[in-house]
Amino acid sequence: MSLPPIDTNPFVERRERLFDLMHALGGGIAILPTAPEIRRNRDNEYPYRHDSDFFYLSGFTEPEAWLVLIAGENNRSILYCRDKHLEREIWDGYRFGPEAAAEHFQFDEALPVEQLDQTLPELLQDQPILYAPLSEQDTLDQRLRQWLAAARQRSRAGFQTPARQLDLRVVLAEMRLIKDATEIDTMRQAAQISARAHVRAMRSARPGLREYQIEAELLHEFRRHGAQDVAYGSIVATGANACVLHYRAGNTQLRDGDLVLIDAGCELDSYAADITRTFPANGRYSGPQRALYDLTVAAEAAAIAVTRPGASWNAGHEAAVRVLAQGMIDEGLLQGSLDGIIESGAYSRFYMHRTGHWLGLDVHDVGDYREPPSLLQGTVAGSGPRPWRTLQPGMVLTIEPGIYVRPGDDVDERWWNIGIRTEDDALVTETGCELLTRGVPVDAGEIEAIMRDAPPLLTN
């Protein structure tokens, strides 16, 4: 990822915001490792993905790295990273090394990671608070204990060790919840690439192909436009598979008359997109499919309409549930009053998940869904659940209602194995929300037109 001009470096700005918060809490030292490399089998490792919090503050994507931030009279940012190693670079690729990393990513200091155990005990001395991702990695917890123990051995010389420990991930989750301009720009691009991939999948689909062939079209479009990876394992589910919420693309063949549900998004410069569309394998919805599809689109529209600053996080879910439940009554899937079905939760037989989640560096991004207690005031026990989070400009969330009808003795056969979901990524703006992912249509007629008018891309 190329860095913007120095005077607008978002990573430096984020570190400064964290320093400000640390000072407000009483100062201290923050210690954050990146993600470890993970063995896949024998001497083969999974493709490396850095830790999202670490990247958010550093922009650094190499493994075996640590970030240390000290909020003092003069704030200090220190990166520990792998040293230059020309022989290993022949095998594994370029390494910045401490000197180049300090200059490129604008750290006050950068040191070889081998010096971490030697220098951390001294850095911990006389710090009032330790911020770290507590209980996140066993190896981190063990090393923190070792560093603290080594620092305490100098207590007779008048040095103190941190009297308090705070979970750094809780602090960073609140920061990451509101996206800055750089993040929003990247997420727009990721959404556009992902939308193109969904259009390509629609154009490619036809009876006789298999789910993994459609998945290949998604991956082709992601990489063709510069995305480095998928944001999550792509769901390509046809027929009854669409009623399995976390289904992964398999080898099931698309059949004439079946629907295809695709839930897929790319990762661009570490940021995720997340789109779901459901379309007919043969290019035309049947009557029952169209009825439930239009119902799902109407539920999404109801949720979009209430997604705006000042609204409750739960407002979109409540709006979608109300539309879906009424539709289930109208189509004969459920009997009873609308309020009764909502109160009893009977609708959850056919709609069992919530209507969205936060989106950002992680596809299910960090951030509390209820109003958090103030870090400055501490946690105050309440008599009930905290109120739902109030939406603010800069938050990004998905809106994804669905309906999934499995066979049942009390369900008309015409509905059996129909699984439908529509999902878009919404940026909360000053006046409402901006849908980042409408580069792929959601209207049934427009989807049918794409499939009818464009020549198929795949050949046997």
Side-chain angles (χ1 to χ4, degrees):
M1 177 179 181
S2 60
L3 288 174
I6 289 177
D7 60 348
T8 60
N9 187 324
F11 305 106
V12 173
E13 292 175 359
R14 293 167 198 164
R15 294 197 291 268
E16 290 301 322
R17 286 169 54 205
L18 180 57
F19 277 132
D20 289 344
L21 181 56
M22 291 169 66
H23 280 294
L25 292 167
I29 180 172
I31 302 174
L32 180 64
T34 193
E37 294 178 290
I38 300 177
R39 183 73 54 85
R40 182 180 185 274
N41 63 313
R42 196 168 171 79
D43 58 354
N44 184 25
E45 293 175 335
Y46 284 104
Y48 182 69
R49 171 52 158 84
H50 44 269
D51 177 79
S52 294
D53 280 335
F54 182 89
F55 175 81
Y56 180 76
L57 292 173
S58 70
F60 194 72
T61 59
E62 293 182 18
E64 299 181 58
W66 294 68
L67 178 63
V68 176
L69 301 176
I70 302 173
E73 185 174 345
N74 295 305
N75 296 331
R76 293 172 63 191
S77 61
I78 308 171
L79 176 74
Y80 292 83
C81 65
R82 299 178 304 184
D83 217 338
K84 293 291 290 182
H85 195 305
L86 297 182
E87 183 178 352
R88 288 313 312 169
E89 289 184 52
I90 293 172
W91 293 91
D92 302 328
Y94 176 77
R95 296 183 179 185
F96 272 95
E99 183 177 351
E103 179 181 0
H104 189 78
F105 297 94
Q106 297 178 257
F107 295 106
D108 296 318
E109 301 174 58
L111 300 170
V113 70
E114 290 80 10
Q115 296 185 22
L116 190 68
D117 289 332
Q118 173 188 346
T119 56
L120 253 293
E122 181 178 350
L123 293 177
L124 283 164
Q125 291 172 3
D126 288 336
Q127 296 298 332
I129 304 172
L130 167 62
Y131 308 81
L134 304 176
S135 302
E136 183 73 17
Q137 299 178 17
D138 289 341
T139 53
L140 170 61
D141 292 343
Q142 181 179 3
R143 294 184 83 170
L144 285 175
R145 288 194 296 270
Q146 292 173 348
W147 296 332
L148 288 168
R152 290 188 188 105
Q153 289 178 359
R154 304 193 63 186
S155 61
R156 291 186 181 179
F159 295 108
Q160 299 294 317
T161 53
R164 296 170 57 200
Q165 295 185 20
L166 292 178
D167 192 339
L168 181 59
R169 295 210 183 267
V170 175
V171 179
L172 291 177
E174 286 300 297
M175 289 179 57
R176 283 174 52 185
L177 190 55
I178 306 294
K179 272 54 180 180
D180 60 37
T182 300
E183 294 178 287
I184 291 170
D185 180 63
T186 303
M187 294 186 72
R188 279 201 183 98
Q189 295 179 57
Q192 292 164 2
I193 293 170
S194 300
R196 292 191 189 105
H198 277 260
V199 170
R200 183 183 182 94
M202 291 174 183
R203 295 178 62 201
S204 303
R206 63 180 184 271
L209 295 180
R210 297 188 182 275
E211 293 163 337
Y212 63 77
Q213 292 177 287
I214 305 301
E215 180 190 24
E217 295 299 312
L218 296 165
L219 297 176
H220 173 90
E221 201 71 6
F222 290 165
R223 293 295 286 138
R224 190 166 79 94
H225 291 286
Q228 294 87 359
D229 207 340
V230 295
Y232 52 98
S234 300
I235 297 170
V236 181
T238 187
N241 296 338
C243 293
V244 180
L245 298 183
H246 290 164
Y247 182 84
R248 297 288 294 273
N251 65 353
T252 302
Q253 198 169 44
L254 278 62
R255 299 184 307 175
D256 192 1
D258 278 351
L259 292 173
V260 182
L261 186 156
I262 296 181
D263 187 338
C266 74
E267 180 174 282
L268 177 69
D269 293 344
S270 302
Y271 284 86
D274 189 1
I275 305 175
T276 306
R277 293 293 186 268
T278 309
F279 56 87
N282 63 11
R284 190 161 188 84
Y285 296 93
S286 69
Q289 291 170 352
R290 181 64 182 264
L292 296 189
Y293 184 84
D294 287 346
L295 171 61
T296 306
V297 171
E300 186 185 7
I304 291 167
V306 297
T307 301
R308 57 180 182 268
S312 160
W313 159 263
N314 204 44
H317 180 67
E318 291 173 343
V321 164
R322 197 159 192 87
V323 172
L324 288 171
Q326 183 62 60
M328 293 173 194
I329 295 170
D330 294 342
E331 299 296 346
L333 286 167
L334 294 174
Q335 277 104 39
S337 70
L338 176 60
D339 289 340
I341 284 171
I342 292 175
E343 184 177 354
S344 68
Y347 66 86
S348 62
R349 176 181 177 183
F350 305 113
Y351 177 49
M352 60 293 296
H353 60 80
R354 296 196 57 86
T355 307
H357 53 77
W358 303 127
L359 185 70
L361 283 166
D362 301 306
V363 68
H364 287 180
D365 208 30
V366 295
D368 205 328
Y369 292 97
R370 293 185 180 273
E371 293 292 349
S374 169
L375 287 169
L376 298 177
Q377 296 174 357
T379 302
V380 179
S383 58
R386 289 171 286 136
W388 292 104
R389 169 84 69 168
T390 299
L391 298 181
Q392 300 176 48
M395 293 178 171
V396 181
L397 61 148
T398 65
I399 301 176
E400 50 176 310
I403 187 165
Y404 316 89
V405 187
R406 292 174 174 271
D409 293 339
D410 58 343
V411 177
D412 192 310
E413 279 191 50
R414 64 186 177 134
W415 307 118
W416 285 10
N417 296 320
I418 293 180
I420 296 169
R421 182 164 65 254
T422 63
E423 178 180 20
D424 284 289
D425 303 344
L427 165 67
V428 181
T429 65
E430 295 292 340
T431 58
C433 71
E434 173 191 347
L435 298 180
L436 306 178
T437 44
R438 284 298 171 90
V440 54
V442 70
D443 176 78
E446 293 181 43
I447 289 173
E448 289 180 338
I450 284 177
M451 301 184 72
R452 179 181 65 248
D453 299 338
L457 300 178
L458 278 173
T459 58
N460 291 329

